Amino acid sequence: MGPYLLGLRLSGRRVLVVGGGRVAQRRVPALLEAGAEVTVVSPGVTPALDDLIAAGRVTWHDRPYEVGDCDGAWLVQACTDDRSVNTAVAAEAEAKRVWCVRADDKDASAAWTPATGRVDEISVAVTAGGDPRRAAGIRDAVVEALRDGTVDARRNRTKPVGVALVGGGPGDPGLITVRGRQLLAQADVVVADRLAPRALLDELAPDVELIDAAKVPYGRSLSQETINELLVDRARQGKFVVRLKGGDSFVFGRGGEEMIACAEAGIPVLVVPGLTSAVAVPAAAGVPVTHRGVSQEFHVISVHVAPDDPKSTVDWPGLARSQGTLVLLMAVERLAKVAEALIRDGRSPETPVMVVQDGTLPTQRAVTASLSTVADRVSAAGIRPPAIVIVGDVVRVGQEVEMVRAERLP
């Protein structure tokens, strides 16, 4: 017959572990995490167990097992490599009606230790007929599915409340953080920008309210004030709201404004950082934003207004004098003016530039040029937003890597 599964709450309860080898070394930390008062009986212990004993977390009797050791225990683990000792321990435990786990014989064991995992408040335990390797494999699959949101965790008594500002990463849905995907799976409402990983939205449950904030440059979009009002309104209705953006919410994402609006309304806010496209897209194109001996600094600049626009707050002369890498966002349509300003203020016209469109997506493509030619090259190639512009000698590093790869191809 299969076992009757039960979650034991061991806090403050004595657990006896007989044996001090590798099996005990695996079992003891989990028992301590559950709050058990662990006693180890063994003539010797592993270094890992010795550390726990030295820290006062485990009581150790440096001797072989003796009859009477099971007294006062709520649970016994027989973990020695001597079958006769494990048999004796199990027999004493059985006589005293204490559950005993035998590590050496699943069929003779009164209880089995499952393969366990935990994701937030969810605990997973798998026995798989007493086969530990199979149980561990199934446990890993379930835990991974809970972490990435593949398994729906929305229906629970203690779901998150308020608003979560989730950075969705640079575009590839696999690059959202584990925490971000978890929260997305628990959302009642999702307010998404156009640069958020759209493929993840197809996985939302049918009853999730999806609000498209768009944020299309010079096109249809919700105002920031409207977005703030939506976040507050839905959260006040008791719904858990995820604000899903591309990249990171706090890197030109106006996440700070949304956080302030929620705070003023008394709405709790959880911030989940995302992988910003300013670093991720150059990396996906093979270009490091810093490289030893080439660049020890990089600057991330929003070019939503041109260098000569009165509303620009960017120190373009300072950037031109800098030897660091420049990573320009929202710059494609103003690239000619950016190049003109940088060259005028001191950057070499021959400075290498790479422009990467749709970074991390299957449609990713890149154009490489010099600062003096990049605007024409980008126009001729039909590069459109979203695109990242990388200015600096690190572009040559990426080109060198590609040359080395090409030389090694058969």
Side-chain angles (χ1 to χ4, degrees):
M1 295 183 182
Y4 179 82
L5 298 182
L6 187 69
L8 297 180
R9 303 182 67 183
L10 294 175
S11 181
R13 292 179 167 88
R14 181 174 181 266
V15 175
L16 172 68
V17 177
V18 181
R22 289 179 297 173
V23 176
Q25 179 178 305
R26 291 198 304 269
R27 301 278 173 88
V28 168
L31 293 168
L32 292 174
E33 188 175 341
E37 296 181 356
V38 178
T39 297
V40 172
V41 174
S42 175
V45 294
T46 66
L49 287 175
D50 198 25
D51 285 344
L52 294 173
I53 294 163
R57 301 188 62 193
V58 173
T59 300
W60 178 33
H61 297 305
D62 184 4
R63 58 170 174 76
Y65 159 77
E66 297 175 357
V67 175
D69 282 339
C70 293
D71 290 346
W74 292 74
L75 176 67
V76 174
Q77 299 266 354
C79 302
T80 76
D81 56 6
D82 187 326
R83 183 177 178 84
S84 63
V85 173
N86 291 340
T87 300
V89 172
E92 181 188 354
E94 184 76 14
K96 293 176 178 176
R97 298 189 176 184
V98 178
W99 291 106
C100 179
V101 179
R102 285 189 61 165
D104 63 331
D105 190 340
K106 70 181 182 66
D107 295 321
S109 184
W112 295 335
T113 296
T116 60
R118 188 174 179 85
V119 179
D120 295 329
E121 76 284 357
I122 301 172
S123 295
V124 175
V126 183
T127 57
D131 182 339
R133 291 188 177 181
R134 186 182 181 204
I138 296 171
R139 179 269 322 275
D140 291 343
V142 174
V143 167
E144 182 179 354
L146 284 169
R147 283 177 175 161
D148 67 18
T150 304
V151 171
D152 185 3
R154 295 179 63 224
R155 307 305 179 195
N156 57 72
R157 296 178 182 176
T158 57
K159 69 176 183 179
V161 297
V163 173
L165 304 179
V166 176
D172 182 341
L175 295 177
I176 189 173
T177 63
V178 171
R179 183 60 172 154
R181 192 152 188 174
Q182 287 175 353
L183 294 176
L184 193 62
Q186 295 177 290
D188 299 309
V189 181
V190 176
V191 182
D193 282 352
R194 72 181 184 97
L195 295 181
R198 310 299 292 186
L200 296 178
L201 302 180
D202 293 337
E203 301 175 4
L204 298 175
D207 60 336
V208 175
E209 181 184 8
L210 177 58
I211 300 173
D212 187 358
K215 292 290 187 182
V216 178
Y218 314 111
R220 182 177 60 84
S221 64
L222 295 180
S223 69
Q224 188 60 52
E225 291 72 18
T226 301
I227 293 172
N228 295 348
E229 291 169 2
L230 283 168
L231 299 178
V232 171
D233 174 72
R234 298 303 191 271
R236 280 179 170 165
Q237 293 179 27
K239 298 177 179 179
F240 175 52
V241 185
V242 168
R243 176 69 171 109
L244 182 64
K245 302 168 179 284
D248 181 275
S249 300
F250 285 5
V251 180
F252 305 123
R254 304 185 77 168
E257 296 175 47
E258 293 165 354
M259 183 172 62
I260 291 171
C262 290
E264 290 176 344
I267 303 298
V269 178
L270 173 64
V271 177
V272 180
L275 188 59
T276 176
S277 59
V279 175
V281 169
V287 177
V289 293
T290 61
H291 190 76
R292 185 162 60 93
V294 177
S295 175
Q296 62 183 22
E297 60 179 324
F298 69 97
H299 308 264
V300 180
I301 304 101
S302 168
V303 195
H304 64 282
V305 294
D308 58 357
D309 192 300
K311 292 182 289 187
S312 176
T313 61
V314 178
D315 180 10
W316 289 104
L319 293 175
R321 292 191 299 270
S322 167
Q323 297 302 307
T325 305
L326 308 184
V327 182
L328 312 179
L329 283 62
M330 298 172 276
V332 169
E333 296 179 351
R334 288 163 287 278
L335 198 48
K337 290 188 175 182
V338 168
E340 178 184 346
L342 290 173
I343 294 171
R344 181 189 65 230
D345 292 321
R347 278 266 177 161
S348 168
E350 301 306 312
T351 302
V353 181
M354 179 182 284
V355 183
V356 185
Q357 177 182 319
D358 293 340
T360 76
L361 296 175
T363 53
Q364 174 179 311
R365 62 184 183 131
V367 169
T368 304
S370 67
L371 196 56
S372 62
T373 63
V374 67
D376 290 338
R377 290 288 304 277
V378 164
S379 177
I383 296 289
R384 301 295 300 166
I388 301 293
V389 180
I390 312 149
V391 180
D393 289 338
V394 292
V395 172
R396 291 196 181 98
V397 176
Q399 294 173 317
E400 181 182 347
V401 171
E402 287 304 313
M403 290 175 59
V404 171
R405 287 175 175 169
E407 291 172 356
R408 292 182 177 274
L409 288 175

